[in-house]
Amino acid sequence: EAQVTQNPRYLITVTGKKLTVTCSQNMNHEYMSWYRQDPGLGLRQIYYSMNVEVTDKGDVPEGYKVSRKEKRNFPLILESPSPNQTSLYFCASSRGDRGHTEAFFGQGTRLTVV
Amino acid sequence: AQSVTQLDSQVPVFEEAPVELRCNYSSSVSVYLFWYVQYPNQGLQLLLKYLSGSTLVKGINGFEAEFNKSQTSFHLRKPSVHISDTAEYFCAVTRGSGYSTLTFGKGTMLLVSP
């Protein structure tokens, strides 16, 4: 089954404690991205990757890092989480040809930073 | 750069009534347009997409949308809604050629009551 898998689904952490949210896709997609969803703001892109070792900032990259060492994986790293990073996070992947077509989303990771 | 405006944050409707969720976009180049649905505690699922061709596109669960280039709109419609259609709906746009990120609107919550 084609899918994007995020882990964990729920995470509560304390300010400043480094964390990683994993994302893996099994569709051999070139393009992957991370979004955060906040009430009234919709989805905002954090980082994206067009292929292995190619990443770039989205609209709200501050406080986040990513890496793309393998095509299937695109982890999101919060080096020093702060309460304003409490949010619902989604990973997505899509094919890279002909621009950006259908994006497949993971189930989301609800992060609370206290 | 492109942008998306969803004109209603919430749309209450009675079961079996018709519904229209409005979406307007802004872009200086050709675009691809999408509607995604998010059920409670789930990720985003593609409802339908417009890439080219017929301006009336049909999606899953009886939804359809019409691309109107002159009015830069891509409104979503369903002739008769069900309780199970209660969800948040997101309109999204990306550039129709080359690489481009996916830009989302802020979402419209469809509330279907008996």
Side-chain angles (χ1 to χ4, degrees):
Chain A
E1 178 189 357
Q3 59 185 4
V4 178
T5 304
Q6 291 178 233
N7 279 298
R9 290 289 310 276
Y10 301 91
L11 180 59
I12 301 175
T13 190
V14 296
T15 299
K17 185 177 181 182
K18 180 179 178 180
L19 65 91
T20 299
V21 183
T22 64
C23 174
S24 181
Q25 50 95 3
N26 63 1
M27 295 167 279
N28 200 36
H29 284 166
E30 291 85 4
Y31 177 81
M32 297 185 74
S33 58
W34 277 101
Y35 295 85
R36 61 179 288 172
Q37 183 180 11
D38 301 288
L41 297 179
L43 280 86
R44 294 177 293 167
Q45 191 178 56
I46 303 170
Y47 268 95
Y48 62 91
S49 169
M50 293 170 63
N51 215 321
V52 175
E53 302 291 2
V54 181
T55 63
D56 207 347
K57 297 176 181 179
D59 299 319
V60 288
E62 294 76 21
Y64 304 95
K65 284 177 57 177
V66 293
S67 69
R68 187 95 180 270
K69 292 182 169 48
E70 305 166 282
K71 198 171 188 179
R72 63 183 292 123
N73 296 323
F74 190 46
L76 179 69
I77 303 156
L78 285 72
E79 294 271 4
S80 183
S82 62
N84 65 11
Q85 292 178 297
T86 292
S87 187
L88 180 58
Y89 292 86
F90 287 101
C91 179
S93 74
S94 65
R95 289 170 52 181
D97 58 312
R98 295 201 64 201
H100 192 118
T101 53
E102 177 182 354
F104 292 80
F105 284 81
Q107 291 295 295
T109 296
R110 187 168 293 280
L111 172 65
T112 302
V113 183
V114 299
Chain B
Q2 59 264 2
S3 65
V4 177
T5 301
Q6 291 184 243
L7 297 158
D8 305 295
S9 59
Q10 273 193 15
V11 173
V13 65
F14 289 109
E15 194 173 19
E16 297 183 7
V19 70
E20 178 179 83
L21 306 184
R22 297 180 292 169
C23 171
N24 286 89
Y25 70 93
S26 173
S27 176
S28 58
V29 298
S30 64
V31 296
Y32 296 152
L33 292 153
F34 307 83
W35 276 98
Y36 284 86
V37 59
Q38 184 181 29
Y39 298 104
N41 298 314
Q42 294 190 27
L44 278 76
Q45 177 184 1
L46 182 70
L47 262 184
L48 48 80
K49 61 186 176 184
Y50 171 78
L51 303 182
S52 65
S54 172
T55 57
L56 182 64
V57 293
K58 294 187 183 299
I60 61 172
N61 300 339
F63 284 93
E64 64 180 32
E66 186 157 18
F67 171 58
N68 188 318
K69 188 175 181 179
S70 62
Q71 297 189 6
T72 62
S73 67
F74 190 54
H75 299 333
L76 181 70
R77 302 186 183 100
K78 187 170 183 179
S80 175
V81 294
H82 303 289
I83 297 285
S84 59
D85 291 323
T86 294
E88 189 150 27
Y89 293 78
F90 292 94
C91 183
V93 64
T94 189
R95 196 171 63 196
S97 62
Y99 170 76
S100 173
T101 60
L102 191 60
T103 301
F104 284 88
K106 294 183 178 181
T108 297
M109 186 68 201
L110 176 63
L111 299 164
V112 183
S113 54

